[in-house]
Amino acid sequence: MTTRDTMYSEDISDSHKHVVSVLQDGVTKLPPELDEAGNVEYKLQWRLAEGDGHALYIVGVHDNGDVVGISDEEFEHTIDTLENMAQQLDNARIVSIKKRVLHDSERVVAEVRLAQKAPLPQTELRVAVLGDYGAGKSTVLGCLTHGEADDGRGKARLNLMRHQHELESGHTSSITLSTVGFDGDGRVQNYTNNRSAEHIFQRSQHVVTFIDTCGHAKHLKTTARALTGYSPHVFCVVIPADAVEVSTTTREYIQIAAALGMPLMVAVSKMDIADKAGFAALMHELLGTLDAVLPERSKCIVVNVDEHQSLADDMMRMSVVPIFTTSAVRTLGFGDLTAVLGKSLAKRVAYSTDGVKPFEFHIEHLYSIDTVGTVATGWVHSGAVAAGGAADTQQLVIGPDSSGNFVEADVSSIHTLRTPTESAKAGMSASLAIQPRSPITIQKGMVVLGADQLEAGGRRISSEFTATVTVLCSDLVKMQAVVVHIRSTYHLATIVDIGSSTELQPPGCAQATTGLRLRLSGNVRELIYPGMPVVARDGRSLTFAGRVTAAM
């Protein structure tokens, strides 16, 4: 008889708490365990998730429910097995062991309770990876997240691609999120030393989420949504070392970083195929472009530096633009890149984790789960929320729909970084199970926030607003139609008025800014507030980028 034969796990979530205990005298039968699939450590992980961080294992009971007991030697072996399972997960521990000796023998039965360890305080940094068609963005991220060298034909990027046509063409057409973590000692946690994303999150104190975007012009809509809807903290522009020149698309991304006042880093890929003269000319042009757009930021080519912390701090303060030279084939340059990202922390000025600021959550993606309902993933911009309601008992609302309406809603369960939690706080990505109290079609780009905050902080539900922008194309004209991206949604809009404005020009930005007044078409109304990023496009080209100054 093996340990597995006599180790019975029970669901202890609120809806399935057991009534009969194996510790009670005279109990000879328990309900059978129905779930037999999966490795024992992954079953433990599932039990912990279902039990809100707690799991109960009953020892000495067959899977069919027969109470048979085990010897003392088998019991010790069973406890060792459970401890090994907890160690394999690296986030669980045994908290109590209660056993009973069967009357008709010296065999024992027991209840062993396990719980998740207290989660480490975590920080998250979001990096939008931008670049032209064929720059090697996905290949660079494949090396960073999986620690594998590329074969020169795009092997590393296969780990990030989501669709069959992406695998066949080699070009990204959707937004892909990938992760690298750092533990308390600064060691990198990726798929080289972890089995899953959940394992990476559990072992990391600092998490870097990469937002892989599309390079081809026909997928510009998707890339624009990543810039406004996925709340990046840093822009990472990827440039191939064998490029003849800095492309127009690359220049536009650098201009957008300046227009939005974003920290910027540059990763030069494909160093293994660069020739000396061509690379020198490319770097000269790149430095010239950076000097023209961001003259007040220093430029630093990073090669085997030791002061990663000071470089990370300077980058996040927008006083320097670090340039990393990398080769996915030779796995060169990734050490400095990961070290700087591991030391980079997102600015906390806009966020509050003390529960004083009201809760605000931006929806990026939606899922429908049969047993849960609608689950929204996104970014917590301020405040905190607890499962069952907001942390400060504020009433939550969700919206707006196309008419600008909000409805009251409840949050029934929460995951942060794929781990069940009791609450979600500002500065972290989260998944919320949302239950509206009135009928509404939940869509990407909607917001969950406190009901009393709809008109606070300059927020207005409006179809018209003003913005200070940097023009990326030819001159704009009044009544010109553009597609404006707001959070994770987009709308057709008309330029009502054009003026000149430098009031909110981002620091260190040498580009001329323009004040625009825009009106959303089709009677659409959105939640708009000062400082909100907007990006506009016209067909397959970007038109302007900037931030809202006021809702009308």
Side-chain angles (χ1 to χ4, degrees):
M1 183 178 293
T2 66
T3 298
R4 181 71 183 276
D5 291 333
T6 57
M7 190 164 59
Y8 170 104
S9 60
E10 181 154 355
D11 190 344
I12 62 170
S13 60
D14 291 340
S15 59
H16 298 90
K17 287 185 177 179
H18 71 290
V19 177
V20 179
S21 171
V22 73
L23 302 179
Q24 297 173 354
D25 290 335
V27 174
T28 60
K29 184 77 173 180
L30 294 178
E33 181 185 28
L34 301 178
D35 181 22
E36 299 179 354
N39 296 330
V40 289
E41 65 268 22
Y42 286 109
K43 181 178 283 188
L44 172 57
Q45 186 178 41
W46 183 80
R47 291 294 183 192
L48 289 168
E50 288 293 274
D52 292 328
H54 298 271
L56 173 66
Y57 275 82
I58 303 174
V59 178
V61 180
H62 277 308
D63 283 348
N64 63 9
D66 290 338
V67 179
V68 295
I70 57 177
S71 67
D72 288 337
E73 182 180 355
E74 290 173 326
F75 177 75
E76 294 300 325
H77 179 62
T78 299
I79 298 302
D80 290 341
T81 300
L82 287 169
E83 289 179 342
N84 183 58
M85 291 162 57
Q87 290 173 2
Q88 289 291 321
L89 287 182
D90 201 32
N91 76 323
R93 61 188 177 90
I94 295 176
V95 293
S96 69
I97 301 174
K98 297 179 181 179
K99 65 179 182 179
R100 173 174 71 93
V101 179
L102 299 179
H103 289 304
D104 55 350
S105 67
E106 294 185 357
R107 303 174 74 81
V108 300
V109 292
E111 289 184 353
V112 183
R113 291 181 178 270
L114 297 95
Q116 286 181 329
K117 295 178 182 178
L120 296 171
Q122 289 180 313
T123 57
E124 184 177 358
L125 182 78
R126 287 192 159 194
V127 180
V129 182
L130 307 164
D132 205 351
Y133 174 89
K137 301 181 294 298
S138 299
T139 302
V140 168
L141 293 185
C143 289
L144 281 172
T145 57
H146 288 75
E148 298 177 356
D150 188 51
D151 61 356
R153 296 186 296 275
K155 174 186 175 183
R157 70 188 176 206
L158 299 180
N159 295 312
L160 275 73
M161 293 185 167
R162 301 168 55 188
H163 305 294
Q164 183 63 34
H165 68 267
E166 292 179 329
L167 295 172
E168 294 172 354
S169 66
H171 301 302
T172 304
S173 64
S174 60
I175 298 172
T176 304
L177 302 183
S178 54
T179 302
V180 170
F182 300 86
D183 64 16
D185 297 321
R187 290 186 292 263
V188 176
Q189 303 296 322
N190 57 20
Y191 288 100
T192 303
N193 50 5
N194 293 276
R195 295 183 300 272
S196 65
E198 289 83 356
H199 206 202
I200 293 174
F201 296 144
Q202 290 159 5
R203 299 177 64 183
S204 301
Q205 279 190 267
H206 180 56
V207 175
V208 178
T209 299
F210 296 101
I211 307 167
D212 189 18
T213 63
C214 316
H216 202 287
K218 67 180 180 180
H219 303 303
L220 184 59
K221 176 183 72 175
T222 304
T223 299
R225 184 165 72 89
L227 298 179
T228 61
Y230 278 70
S231 306
H233 302 116
V234 181
F235 283 3
C236 176
V237 176
V238 180
I239 302 173
D242 62 337
V244 177
E245 61 181 359
V246 178
S247 68
T248 300
T249 300
T250 300
R251 293 176 188 272
E252 288 178 344
Y253 289 140
I254 295 173
Q255 289 177 299
I256 292 174
L260 298 180
M262 297 290 294
L264 174 67
M265 62 193 302
V266 178
V268 181
S269 62
K270 305 183 182 181
M271 286 297 296
D272 52 290
I273 59 174
D275 66 88
K276 188 174 182 179
F279 177 68
L282 177 67
M283 292 303 294
H284 179 75
E285 185 178 357
L286 172 61
L287 292 172
T289 301
L290 292 172
D291 283 336
V293 179
L294 297 165
E296 294 189 12
R297 299 192 201 183
S298 302
K299 289 78 188 174
C300 173
I301 299 177
V302 183
V303 181
N304 298 324
V305 301
D306 295 324
E307 298 298 324
H308 296 122
Q309 183 65 68
S310 60
L311 182 58
D313 292 342
D314 289 341
M315 180 183 72
M316 297 308 294
R317 284 195 295 261
M318 294 184 289
S319 60
V320 67
V321 179
I323 302 171
F324 302 88
T325 54
T326 67
S327 168
V329 173
R330 299 176 184 174
T331 62
L332 298 176
F334 294 108
D336 286 325
L337 180 57
T338 54
V340 170
L341 290 174
K343 303 292 184 182
S344 301
L345 298 178
K347 292 188 295 184
R348 295 283 175 170
V349 177
Y351 309 125
S352 172
T353 59
D354 56 9
V356 175
K357 277 198 173 183
F359 179 69
E360 182 178 342
F361 175 80
H362 291 190
I363 296 176
E364 299 167 358
H365 206 78
L366 292 168
Y367 301 91
S368 180
I369 301 176
D370 292 339
T371 57
V372 178
T374 300
V375 175
T377 63
W379 183 260
V380 182
H381 276 252
S382 67
V385 68
D392 57 359
T393 69
Q394 63 180 322
Q395 175 59 56
L396 300 178
V397 294
I398 183 172
D401 59 14
S402 60
S403 300
N405 298 320
F406 281 74
V407 301
E408 294 183 351
D410 298 312
V411 174
S412 58
S413 64
I414 301 172
H415 283 60
T416 58
L417 297 177
R418 301 194 185 185
T419 302
T421 57
E422 296 180 356
S423 63
K425 297 182 179 180
M428 294 292 291
S429 56
S431 300
L432 309 182
I434 300 174
Q435 298 176 337
R437 296 184 181 180
S438 303
I440 189 173
T441 302
I442 302 178
Q443 297 177 337
K444 299 175 186 176
M446 285 187 172
V447 178
V448 181
L449 75 167
D452 57 349
Q453 296 303 307
L454 288 177
E455 301 293 334
R459 296 183 182 90
R460 291 193 65 181
I461 302 171
S462 176
S463 61
E464 197 165 328
F465 61 93
T466 59
T468 299
V469 304
T470 295
V471 180
L472 304 173
C473 64
S474 57
D475 293 338
L476 302 177
V477 296
K478 288 184 179 181
M479 304 311 296
Q480 178 178 342
V482 294
V483 177
V484 176
H485 286 258
I486 299 173
R487 294 187 295 275
S488 287
T489 188
Y490 59 92
H491 304 285
L492 186 65
T494 303
I495 299 175
V496 178
D497 194 15
I498 302 175
S500 177
S501 174
T502 58
E503 294 178 2
L504 295 180
Q505 184 168 326
C509 176
Q511 303 175 102
T513 57
T514 301
L516 299 180
R517 183 164 180 164
L518 298 108
R519 182 184 299 124
L520 302 180
S521 303
N523 296 319
V524 171
R525 303 177 73 206
E526 272 285 358
L527 178 66
I528 300 172
Y529 52 87
M532 184 175 69
V534 291
V535 173
R537 57 185 174 86
D538 182 6
R540 293 190 178 184
S541 62
L542 292 170
T543 306
F544 59 79
R547 293 189 181 272
V548 171
T549 53
M552 309 306 292

